[in-house]
Amino acid sequence: MLKTFAKGGVHPAECKYSEDSRIEILPLPKTVSIPIAQHIGAPAKAIVAKGDKVKVGDKIAESSGFVSANIHSSVSGTVAKIDDILDSTGYKRPCIVIDVEGDEWNETIDRSPELRREINLTDKEIIAKINLAGIVGLGGATFPSHVKLSIPDGKKINVLIINGVECEPYLTSDHRLMVEKAEEMLVGIQILMKALSVNRALIGIENNKPDAIAHLTNLVKNYPGIEVHALKVQYPQGGEKQLIKALINREVPSGGLPLDVGAVVHNVGTAFAVYEATQKNKPLFERVVTVTGQLVSKPSNLLVRIGTPVSNLIEAAGGLPEDTGKIINGGPMMGKAVNSLEVPVTKGTSGILIMSESESKRKKEATCIRCAKCVSACPQGLEPYLLKKQAQLEKNDTLEQSGVMDCIECGSCSFTCPAGLPLLDYIRLGKSRVSKIIRSRKQ
Amino acid sequence: MNKRITISPSPHVYEDTSVKRLMFDVVIALLPALAISIYFFGMGAIIVTLVAVVSCLAFEWLIQKYILKQEPAITDGSAIVTGILLAFNVPSNLPIGIIIIGSLVAIGIGKMSFGGLGNNPFNPALVGRVFLLISFPVQMTSWPIPGGFKTGYADAVTGATPLGIVKEGLGKGDQISDLMNQVPSHMEMFYGHMGGSMGEIAAAALILGFAYLLIRKVITWHIPVSIILTITIFTGILWYINPETNADPLFHLLTGGVMLGAIFMATDYVTSPMTPKGMWIFGIGIGIITVLIRVFGAYPEGVSFAILIMNSFVPLINTYVKPKRFGEVVNHG
Ligand code: SF4
Ligand code: SF4
C-alpha cells in the first residue's frame, strides 16, 4: 500500500505531457521585468536606479525585513526604468526593467558544472547564505526559505520533508529536476539537514514519476539519512499538511505550522537552489518552468531567467495556439489565470498552462443537491457547501467556527461539485472577510 | 494580444460529472428491478411506471413554468427518479388516476413547495406514497399475485404480501413455523417471486443496482449498510429470544421495502446527512424504527415511515455531526 493522506482528495486527469522533455535553456529575452515583490512578506527595496549597469547575479533589490527576500539581476545590461508593470497577480506592481546586453555574470559565481559535495559552512552560515541568495519556496508558495530554517526557541525539529510530489496536473518542472539534477538536489537536502541539525530527510514523490523514484532511490544509498517514499497519486498530496500526514502521520494543528509537529517542508526545486547558492555561490535568478497544455505543440521544461515575459516561453514551446482560451500561471488546480502575455516569470512560476477555449469554460451552475461530494473531497475536513452558504449570507462568526481559515484553497471542492458550484470563490471571499476580522481583533 | 482570454479563479479543471449524470445513473441502477417487476407483474408494471414518470415530469414542468416562473429544469432527471421510485412503492394494479394524484403530491408538495430540488426535507416519492396510503388504503394494499404477463392490470388477482400474512397470523396467535409454510421460500423472495409493491420485490435486482451505484461512486455504502445491519441485529435478537413469535432476520430483509428503501430511498442526496458519521446515525434510526413498526406497530410495513421520520432529523444531524477537521487533535511529534 502506498502512503497517502488521511481524508478527502480528488483525482484530476494527470496530463503530464512534458514529463519526458529534457530541461532546455531558454534564450535570453531583450528585456526583463523583475518584480520587487515575488515572495510572501515585505517587498524588497530597489537598490539600483535608471541607467545603472548590472551583471547576472548582482543584487538589485534588498530584503526589507525578516520575512522578505533579496532580488538579483537575472541578466546583464542597463536598468531602463523602475515602473509599475502588470504581473501575474493581475495588478500593476513595481518592477525593475533591465535591457539585456550580453550575458556577463558576477565573478563570484562558480559556473563550473562539477558536483561539489563537501559542505564547509556551519548551520548559521548556511542560513545566512540562503537569505543572501534570495531563495524562496519554489513550489509556488514563495515563502522566504531562511525564515523556515530559523527555528524559534523552544521548538524542536526532528525531520526534514522534501516535497517532490508535484500533484498539480500538467506540471513537470520538479519531476525533471529530480531526474536531471538529482545529485545536486541531494547535496542541497544535506545542506538543509545541516542547517536544521536533523539527521533524517524524507523525499515524498507521487507514484506517477517512477523514473524519478528509481533514480533517487538508487542515489540515496550514498546519502545517509535521506529516504525516498513513493506516494499514492491523489490530489492534494503535495499540500504541506497532507504531505506531513502521509509521510510521518502527524497532523499539523489547525492554525499551526509544520514546526509544531517537528517537521520542516521544502520543495525539491528549493533544495536545488540551496545547492547552487551554497556550493556555487549562485543566487536565485533562474528557475525551471513547464510550458504545457493540450494544444501546445511542444510541451517543454525550460530553464528561464526571472523577469522573462511569458510570451518568450510560449514561443519556445511552439507558439500561442489559435484556440487559446486561458493562460494560467501555475497548475490547473491552484494556478492563476493571467490576462497578458507580457507578465514576467517570477520565482514562484512553476508552469505556464495554456487551455483551449472550450476547456476554459466554467461549468454551468445548478443548485446544490446536497450530495456531500464536496464534504468527502475536502482534505481539511471542512464542509464546503456550508462555508459557501455562510459566506453568501456574510455570517462571519459562524464562518470562523466552521473552520474557514483552515481551507488550503486546494480547489478539490469546486472540482468535484456535480452542480458546478464555484465553492472556492465564495470560500475565498469568506476567508478574506474573516481574516480581516481576526486581524482587527488582534490590534 | 488581440483575442479575449478568460480570467477566472482556480480551480480551472472540473470532474466530468453533473447532476444529470448522477440522476441518470440512478435510473440505470433501477432498471434491473424494473425488469424483474415487468417479468412478474407484466403490463401493470409498465403502465404504472410510465404514468408515474410522465406525470412527475409534467407536474414539475408545469409548476416551474407557470407557478414558480422559472426556467424548467426537468432535463436534470430528478423527476424521472422520483417517478420511478413512486411507481416502485405502489402495487402494480393501482388505477391511473391515483398514480397521477400521487405524482402531484410527490412533486408539488414533496418537492416544489419547498423550493425544488435541493431544498425539500422529505423524500418526494415517499411523501407521495404515504399520502396515497392514507387516502386510498384499499387500493394501496391490494397486491397482485405475480403471474407474469397473465397478471393483467386492473383485473389482477390480488393477495397479501408475506409481511402481511405474518403480521396477521401472529396477531391471531399462529406460530412462525406454520406461517412460513404460507409464504414463498427465502430464495424465491430473493428473486422477487412474491406479492408486494412493484419495485421492492426482488432483492437480487436491487443489490445489483446498489453495486452499480457504488462502482459509479453515485452513493457511498454507509446508509444502506447501516440500515441493513441494524435491521439484521435487531430482528436477530428478537428471533433469538423467541423464534416462534418473531420472523428470522433474512425474512425481514427480503420482504417489504427494506432493500428498495435502504438502497434507493434513504440515500436520496437531498434528504440524507452529509457526513459518514451522520449517515450511520440516520441508517441506525431507520433500521430501529422500521422494526418497531413492523413488530409492535399497526402496519405490517414501516420502511417508508421510518425514512420520513429520519428525514426530519437530518437538519439536526447535520448541525451536530461534523466531519473531523484536519489538525483538530493535536498530536505532537
Ligand atoms: S458537491 Fe456541490 S452539490 Fe454536492 S453538496 Fe457540495 S455544493 Fe452541494
Ligand atoms: S474547502 Fe478549501 S481545503 Fe476544502 S476542498 Fe475546498 S478549497 Fe480545498
Side-chain angles (χ1 to χ4, degrees):
Chain A
M1 264 283 278
L2 289 170
K3 291 188 177 181
T4 186
F5 52 96
K7 62 155 68 87
V10 290
H11 296 96
E14 293 169 32
C15 303
K16 304 272 190 186
Y17 303 129
S18 49
E19 64 184 344
D20 294 324
S21 317
R22 286 193 72 83
I23 299 171
E24 288 170 58
I25 297 171
L26 183 75
L28 288 175
K30 284 201 188 65
T31 60
V32 290
S33 311
I34 304 176
I36 58 166
Q38 306 183 27
H39 45 263
I40 289 179
K45 264 202 284 302
I47 53 169
V48 290
K50 184 177 168 180
D52 285 1
K53 294 272 182 210
V54 292
K55 287 186 196 160
V56 178
D58 284 356
K59 185 155 81 178
I60 54 174
E62 194 159 55
S63 159
S64 64
F66 180 56
V67 185
S68 181
N70 289 326
I71 290 173
H72 301 83
S73 179
S74 57
V75 293
S76 58
T78 313
V79 177
K81 59 181 176 178
I82 298 177
D83 199 2
D84 288 351
I85 287 185
L86 191 72
D87 71 9
S88 58
T89 58
Y91 295 104
K92 286 195 164 182
R93 302 201 301 177
C95 285
I96 300 169
V97 180
I98 303 169
D99 289 328
V100 181
E101 294 148 12
D103 190 26
E104 202 183 322
W105 288 43
N106 185 309
E107 302 74 25
T108 57
I109 302 172
D110 172 4
R111 297 184 69 180
S112 68
E114 285 91 58
L115 182 73
R116 253 200 71 203
R117 282 190 63 166
E118 69 285 2
I119 303 163
N120 303 325
L121 304 176
T122 65
D123 50 354
K124 293 254 159 29
E125 288 167 341
I126 293 169
I127 296 173
K129 195 91 197 176
I130 288 171
N131 187 1
L132 215 61
I135 296 176
V136 301
L138 294 183
T142 66
F143 194 78
S145 300
H146 66 275
V147 181
K148 271 187 166 181
L149 293 170
S150 312
I151 306 304
D153 290 339
K155 297 279 180 195
K156 240 198 93 47
I157 302 301
N158 46 34
V159 61
L160 167 67
I161 287 178
I162 298 295
N163 191 345
V165 174
E166 205 161 46
C167 59
E168 273 274 8
Y170 293 93
L171 302 188
T172 58
S173 52
D174 287 349
H175 182 176
R176 290 316 304 177
L177 262 184
M178 288 188 281
V179 172
E180 296 180 38
K181 303 281 181 199
E183 293 262 13
E184 289 85 346
M185 210 188 78
L186 289 171
V187 176
I189 294 172
Q190 282 188 317
I191 296 165
L192 288 168
M193 287 164 76
K194 182 158 185 196
L196 289 166
S197 326
V198 297
N199 47 25
R200 191 162 173 237
L202 310 179
I203 309 175
I205 306 172
E206 256 185 359
N207 204 30
N208 57 1
K209 301 178 251 301
D211 51 348
I213 295 169
H215 187 46
L216 285 169
T217 310
N218 191 28
L219 288 176
V220 289
K221 290 178 196 135
N222 308 323
Y223 293 84
I226 305 183
E227 301 161 28
V228 179
H229 291 268
L231 299 169
K232 192 174 160 199
V233 181
Q234 186 177 17
Y235 180 87
Q237 193 70 265
E240 201 166 64
K241 295 180 174 186
Q242 279 64 37
L243 183 60
I244 294 173
K245 177 77 184 172
L247 284 175
I248 56 173
N249 196 25
R250 294 180 199 162
E251 269 186 36
V252 178
S254 164
L257 291 170
L259 55 85
D260 293 324
V261 293
V264 166
V265 183
H266 282 285
N267 170 270
V268 288
T270 313
F272 178 65
V274 164
Y275 166 83
E276 293 202 309
T278 52
Q279 307 298 80
K280 300 283 179 176
N281 203 29
K282 182 182 160 200
L284 179 59
F285 57 76
E286 59 184 2
R287 69 157 298 151
V288 182
V289 181
T290 301
V291 186
T292 182
Q294 207 195 339
L295 300 174
V296 173
S297 55
K298 205 174 138 260
S300 314
N301 298 294
L302 305 169
L303 185 64
V304 182
R305 303 284 175 94
I306 302 297
T308 305
V310 162
S311 55
N312 282 40
L313 281 68
I314 296 176
E315 223 37 68
L320 191 71
E322 187 57 25
D323 191 30
T324 299
K326 206 192 253 185
I327 300 166
I328 298 161
N329 179 357
M333 293 301 287
M334 292 184 76
K336 245 176 122 51
V338 297
N339 50 4
S340 158
L341 281 178
E342 297 315 307
V343 299
V345 166
T346 62
K347 293 175 184 176
T349 308
S350 46
I352 298 294
L353 168 59
I354 295 172
M355 296 181 84
S356 70
E357 193 87 47
S358 60
E359 288 173 305
S360 308
K361 290 212 179 68
R362 282 196 151 193
K363 270 197 189 172
K364 200 167 162 260
E365 282 181 43
T367 42
C368 170
I369 54 167
R370 308 172 50 78
C371 66
K373 290 190 186 295
C374 54
V375 180
S376 37
C378 179
Q380 289 293 91
L382 305 174
E383 296 171 283
Y385 80 100
L386 193 68
L387 297 177
K388 167 186 178 269
K389 202 155 54 178
Q390 290 167 344
Q392 274 175 311
L393 298 173
E394 300 200 26
K395 295 208 163 144
N396 296 326
D397 294 346
T398 39
L399 206 49
E400 191 181 348
Q401 282 155 20
S402 303
V404 77
M405 296 312 290
D406 280 353
C407 169
I408 56 169
E409 304 190 22
C410 68
S412 300
C413 49
S414 301
F415 172 82
T416 204
C417 176
L421 297 173
L423 298 164
L424 182 51
D425 291 11
Y426 291 102
I427 294 170
R428 277 200 193 97
L429 197 71
K431 253 182 110 171
S432 74
R433 285 203 203 106
V434 171
S435 64
K436 230 176 259 159
I437 293 171
I438 293 175
R439 258 191 315 243
S440 69
R441 212 184 288 147
K442 277 187 188 147
Q443 275 159 15
Chain B
M1 206 164 23
N2 51 10
K3 61 187 297 177
R4 272 176 57 89
I5 52 170
T6 314
I7 303 294
S8 61
S10 64
H12 305 282
V13 286
Y14 306 99
E15 199 166 337
D16 182 18
T17 172
S18 67
V19 174
K20 195 169 174 169
R21 202 216 83 180
L22 294 171
M23 291 301 162
F24 280 97
D25 268 343
V26 176
V27 172
I28 293 171
L30 284 164
L31 290 181
L34 181 62
I36 294 279
S37 212
I38 293 171
Y39 175 77
F40 282 119
F41 295 125
M43 248 359 252
I46 299 176
I47 295 171
V48 172
T49 309
L50 275 181
V51 172
V53 169
V54 171
S55 47
C56 279
L57 281 170
F59 286 129
E60 179 148 320
W61 190 83
L62 289 170
I63 291 170
Q64 283 184 327
K65 178 131 183 139
Y66 295 107
I67 300 180
L68 300 177
K69 311 240 185 272
Q70 302 167 336
E71 182 71 14
I74 57 168
T75 51
D76 67 19
S78 62
I80 300 178
V81 172
T82 303
I84 300 180
L85 287 177
L86 179 66
F88 274 23
N89 274 289
V90 300
S92 68
N93 64 344
L94 198 66
I96 290 179
I98 296 182
I99 306 171
I100 294 178
I101 294 172
S103 306
L104 178 60
V105 173
I107 296 291
I109 297 176
K111 188 173 176 188
M112 289 308 169
S113 69
F114 295 102
L117 183 65
N119 300 309
N120 47 304
F122 299 104
N123 186 319
L126 285 181
V127 172
R129 182 205 181 196
V130 166
F131 176 84
L132 292 183
L133 195 60
I134 294 165
S135 317
F136 306 95
V138 179
Q139 292 88 332
M140 282 293 287
T141 50
S142 70
W143 317 97
I145 294 169
F149 270 85
K150 292 198 295 297
T151 315
Y153 176 52
D155 52 348
V157 182
T158 60
T161 63
L163 269 180
I165 295 171
V166 169
K167 183 100 194 174
E168 213 193 300
L170 287 175
K172 286 192 305 209
D174 294 352
Q175 300 267 298
I176 282 286
S177 45
D178 297 332
L179 293 170
M180 281 298 150
N181 294 327
Q182 301 170 32
V183 299
S185 72
H186 285 18
M187 205 57 198
E188 279 177 297
M189 292 197 286
F190 184 63
Y191 293 118
H193 192 225
M194 62 178 160
S197 289
M198 236 191 72
E200 69 185 24
I201 51 170
L206 294 166
I207 291 171
L208 196 67
F210 184 33
Y212 179 78
L213 292 181
L214 288 182
I215 291 168
R216 297 281 288 171
K217 296 204 164 74
V218 177
I219 60 170
T220 60
W221 55 268
H222 303 85
I223 293 175
V225 169
S226 57
I227 294 177
I228 290 169
L229 219 59
T230 308
I231 293 184
T232 310
I233 294 173
F234 195 177
T235 57
I237 293 172
L238 294 173
W239 182 59
Y240 182 77
I241 295 172
N242 191 348
E244 279 308 332
T245 54
N246 294 295
D248 63 278
L250 198 56
F251 176 83
H252 277 286
L253 292 184
L254 294 178
T255 54
V258 171
M259 289 296 168
L260 179 63
I263 297 168
F264 290 99
M265 318 287 288
T267 53
D268 171 36
Y269 288 144
V270 184
T271 58
S272 61
M274 303 294 276
T275 59
K277 227 189 298 168
M279 290 175 184
W280 270 100
I281 297 173
F282 181 72
I284 292 172
I286 292 174
I288 292 177
I289 298 171
T290 301
V291 179
L292 286 177
I293 295 176
R294 279 187 178 187
V295 177
F296 306 107
Y299 281 99
E301 172 56 314
V303 178
S304 304
F305 292 109
I307 295 176
L308 287 175
I309 291 169
M310 287 313 290
N311 280 164
S312 66
F313 283 104
V314 167
L316 203 67
I317 295 177
N318 282 339
T319 308
Y320 290 103
V321 183
K322 294 288 177 193
K324 191 191 153 292
R325 280 200 221 145
F326 191 100
E328 218 170 21
V329 182
V330 184
N331 62 3
H332 285 284

